[in-house]
Amino acid sequence: MTTLPFNIVLDPMLPQWALIIAVLAGAGFAILSLLRNWKSGIARTVAVAAFLALLAGPMIREAETTPLNDIALILIDESASQSLDNRDRVSEDAAEKLAARIDALGGVDSEIIRFGGEEETLAVNAARQAIADTPRQRLGAVFMITDGQAADSADAADALDTEAPVHILTTGAANESDRKITLVNAPRYGIVRQPVRVTFRIDDLGRDGETLTDARAPMVTLRMDGEEILREAVPVDAEAGFDVPLTRPGQTIIELEVAERSGELTTRNNIAVLPITAVRDRLRVLLISGEPHPGERVWRNLLKSDPAVDLVHFTILRPIDKNDGTPVDELALIPFPQDELFIDKLDEFDLLIFDRYAYRGVLSSFHFDNIARFVDNGGAVLIASGPEYNGSLSLANRRNLTFILPALPAGSAIEEAFRPEVTELGQRHPVTADLPDSDIWGRWLRVMPVTQRRGETLMNGPGGAPLLILDRIGEGRVGLFLSDHVWLWARGFDGGGPHAELLRRIAHWLMKEPELEEEALSLREENGDLIVERRSIEEEAPAVALTQPDGETGNIELRETAPGRFTARIDQPARGLYRAASGDLFAIGVIGLEAAPEFQNVISTGSLLAPLAEETGGGVYAVRNGGGAALPELRRVRGDNIARSGASWAGIAERRAERIETVKDAPLAPALFWLFIIAAALLAAWGLEGGRFTRKSQQG
């Protein structure tokens, strides 16, 4: 059924194609009739038209409709920043009053829609979604109650798919102020021993982002890993900076906190946190082999296979004072640069390894004294010993080096087969914890007996003899490996063992890699929960002091979930920045975004969403009046009216939508009427064509 204008529809007796042919044929017949005899042709044209009307079946359609009320949407911003300064109460008061005034107008229904976000406010997106869900022919207006801070305000200038005005009602007070600190240059990574530059600025803001200059330079506190480093006054509205010294690998947590401004909205944006991960440019290792032996290649292959390691390797084949008569130009050896290595450039290395080294007059007491000083100042030394560790040529007999050694020799090497075992302490230590296939390790055949003075024994040999001892001296670290048979694992003897992983962990612990620290504290997010983890070689871990985003601090009890690992889970915590402290350990964790845009800018403003209102003819109004809301006057305006808002009034467009209840179709005229017209027109044509009407008038 085809619909024509003026509620006239057609109900043809013929298919559409047949009706078209009939119309074309009738038009042709009418034109020929007019050309032959215009008087009778008019009558025949009327007859053809009546016949075609009979075939088309014109109907008069009558519809019963019911007028529909227009719809006014009230969007309430419930984002986190709306909780500041009682804005949420102002919003509820404004929504309640607005809904009552809309209902009082008559012919308009109000509908309240709430939107928000903990991390950012997507006001424009919320408006688009609400408009899309509302019948567009009934939408009269959109009222958005918000503080005006929208993360998607850049899209506000794009026209919404609506003909209704969008009005912005801001909830902030006229005298609002806020202070914030912003990181300008915030590097996330740096190189160990190379300082990185961090810059920041402090802003005091008033209503609509106005810069306030009425305060003195506020105090800024700088903390590194929870320890206060500096407190200094910094001018407002100016960029400042400092250099961060990265003395160790791993993460360094920088905190900048500016003093609170009197009467400011929130202090959550007075703190800026920057985790900087320091990585070593290259790990420089000096490997000194005292003599060729099967295990020498194990160390060399392991260190050369690591692309992050720069290895310098020397094997001392003869004492410096030995002379066997070989001409110098025929020697295949190079002189050992002991002064260059152990005096001039020792501090350039991260790790010094003595592999089966015995005193042979190459290094002097001054060199050993420099090695001890190197360790005390933060360097690392590993001694992988064999039978040479006992006797007068042992490194343990070098007076300048003795005080950094955790154990001294206690006899000749024990020559018997044994399987290395991880001690109870070693099961908790990251270096030896969870080493694979510990039940089927291959046997070693030699271990050096020692008298342990200090340090942590992580592996044992036969009869509980220490096999691996790690110790801390001053700022540095020392490792003592009391067997030279780790190469048996590399060769697969008796099934072999995890030699590469074990040696890698030892070397990286000595070079202070953070993932191998035996005492560590961390916070992380897991499925929306906050996980507090404490790694320790102690049997019990103390409670952790946890500071929440709102500044409240409480103690969290931990439970052991694995050897050396203690954890606590906080279910669905509030979003924001968390700080944890346990003794000298410090950690931060973030639930949600690290720096939520929601609290970066909190001053109420109408300028960000003003393009949204201007594009639709709406207005922007500051409605806060003390603790309540003062709304603009509401007016009904015609849908095509250009003026939809004013300084003190907001318009609601009249849409005049209707709902069709029933539809009735009635013939435009009965069939007998069309037949009568056809007959009368044909009779008139017959009379005019034969001249009958003319003759009768002449006879009369």
Side-chain angles (χ1 to χ4, degrees), residues 46-117:
V46 172
V48 169
F51 178 70
L52 293 176
L54 177 63
L55 294 179
M59 309 284 287
I60 297 177
R61 172 161 293 174
E62 295 181 356
E64 294 183 3
T65 61
T66 300
L68 296 176
N69 286 349
D70 295 330
I71 297 176
L73 298 178
I74 303 175
L75 306 183
I76 303 178
D77 180 2
E78 292 187 333
S79 61
S81 61
Q82 276 284 85
S83 63
L84 302 175
D85 194 29
N86 294 325
R87 290 175 181 174
D88 48 356
R89 296 182 183 178
V90 176
S91 297
E92 292 298 329
D93 183 56
E96 182 179 344
K97 291 179 178 178
L98 189 59
R101 292 189 184 184
I102 291 173
D103 294 340
L105 288 176
V108 186
D109 295 332
S110 60
E111 182 177 340
I112 295 178
I113 299 175
R114 302 175 186 274
F115 70 94

Side-chain angles (χ1 to χ4, degrees), residues 417-419 440-445 488-489 491-497:
F418 68 94
R419 294 187 187 276
I440 56 173
W441 286 348
R443 292 170 293 173
W444 293 2
L445 305 177
L488 294 175
W489 277 0
R491 299 286 180 86
F493 173 74
D494 196 28

Side-chain angles (χ1 to χ4, degrees), residues 439-491:
D439 296 335
I440 56 173
W441 286 348
R443 292 170 293 173
W444 293 2
L445 305 177
R446 180 163 55 208
V447 66
M448 294 301 302
V450 294
T451 300
Q452 185 172 349
R453 302 191 301 171
R454 58 178 179 268
E456 300 163 347
T457 302
L458 305 187
M459 297 180 69
N460 280 340
L467 182 60
L468 173 62
I469 302 175
L470 300 181
D471 192 20
R472 297 170 186 261
I473 301 294
E475 298 295 326
R477 301 183 181 190
V478 175
L480 185 58
F481 215 158
L482 295 166
S483 177
D484 60 338
H485 278 185
V486 68
W487 64 271
L488 294 175
W489 277 0
R491 299 286 180 86

Side-chain angles (χ1 to χ4, degrees), residues 27 179 409 438 650:
R179 171 175 290 163
S438 59

Side-chain angles (χ1 to χ4, degrees), residues 160-410:
L160 297 176
D161 186 18
T162 180
E163 299 176 0
V166 177
H167 305 290
I168 309 300
L169 280 61
T170 60
T171 58
N175 59 345
E176 286 182 344
S177 66
D178 185 60
R179 171 175 290 163
K180 70 171 184 174
I181 186 170
T182 305
L183 293 174
V184 179
N185 180 43
R188 295 291 179 150
Y189 295 92
I191 305 298
V192 175
R193 298 172 185 166
Q194 295 183 16
V196 296
R197 184 71 176 173
V198 176
T199 58
F200 65 96
R201 62 176 291 130
I202 300 169
D203 293 294
D204 283 353
L205 302 176
R207 180 75 183 196
D208 290 323
E210 176 190 0
T211 300
L212 305 177
T213 58
D214 58 336
R216 296 181 179 178
M219 296 298 296
V220 174
T221 303
L222 169 63
R223 302 186 187 93
M224 294 179 61
D225 292 331
E227 181 181 354
E228 183 174 322
I229 302 299
L230 181 67
R231 185 186 294 262
E232 188 175 308
V234 176
V236 175
D237 197 27
E239 189 171 310
F242 59 95
D243 292 324
V244 179
L246 301 178
T247 58
R248 59 176 178 80
Q251 192 176 76
T252 298
I253 301 170
I254 306 299
E255 290 182 272
L256 286 169
E257 183 174 2
V258 61
E260 180 179 355
R261 175 187 171 91
S262 177
E264 68 172 317
L265 285 172
T266 180
T267 58
R268 291 186 63 169
N269 53 6
N270 289 29
I271 300 177
V273 179
L274 176 63
I276 302 178
T277 301
V279 296
R280 298 183 189 269
D281 184 20
R282 303 285 289 177
L283 300 174
R284 301 204 65 198
V285 179
L286 175 60
L287 173 61
I288 307 296
S289 297
E291 62 183 60
H293 70 100
E296 180 182 10
R297 185 166 294 276
V298 173
W299 279 107
R300 181 177 178 84
N301 291 343
L302 172 71
L303 296 171
K304 292 292 287 184
S305 65
D306 191 339
V309 170
D310 280 338
L311 176 63
V312 177
H313 182 200
F314 286 94
T315 300
I316 300 176
L317 299 180
R318 72 177 191 178
I320 194 171
D321 57 351
K322 181 178 181 181
N323 186 1
D324 56 7
T326 305
V328 176
D329 58 353
E330 294 182 12
L331 288 174
L333 308 179
I334 64 172
F336 184 60
Q338 64 272 14
D339 289 340
E340 181 181 0
L341 290 176
F342 293 98
I343 296 179
D344 299 334
K345 296 184 177 181
L346 183 60
D347 290 338
E348 296 180 7
F349 291 96
D350 298 296
L351 174 62
L352 170 60
I353 302 177
F354 287 106
D355 175 31
R356 289 203 59 177
Y357 181 84
Y359 179 71
R360 304 175 69 180
V362 176
L363 300 180
S364 67
S365 60
F366 183 77
H367 294 138
F368 287 117
D369 186 61
N370 209 35
I371 293 171
R373 190 180 300 109
F374 165 72
V375 173
D376 193 50
N377 291 335
V381 170
L382 172 63
I383 299 176
S385 64
E388 80 292 336
Y389 194 62
N390 182 49
S392 61
L393 300 181
S394 170
L395 286 176
N397 286 329
R398 309 279 70 81
R399 180 178 58 83
N400 309 70
L401 194 67
T402 301
F403 85 92
I404 71 169
L405 298 179
L408 300 178

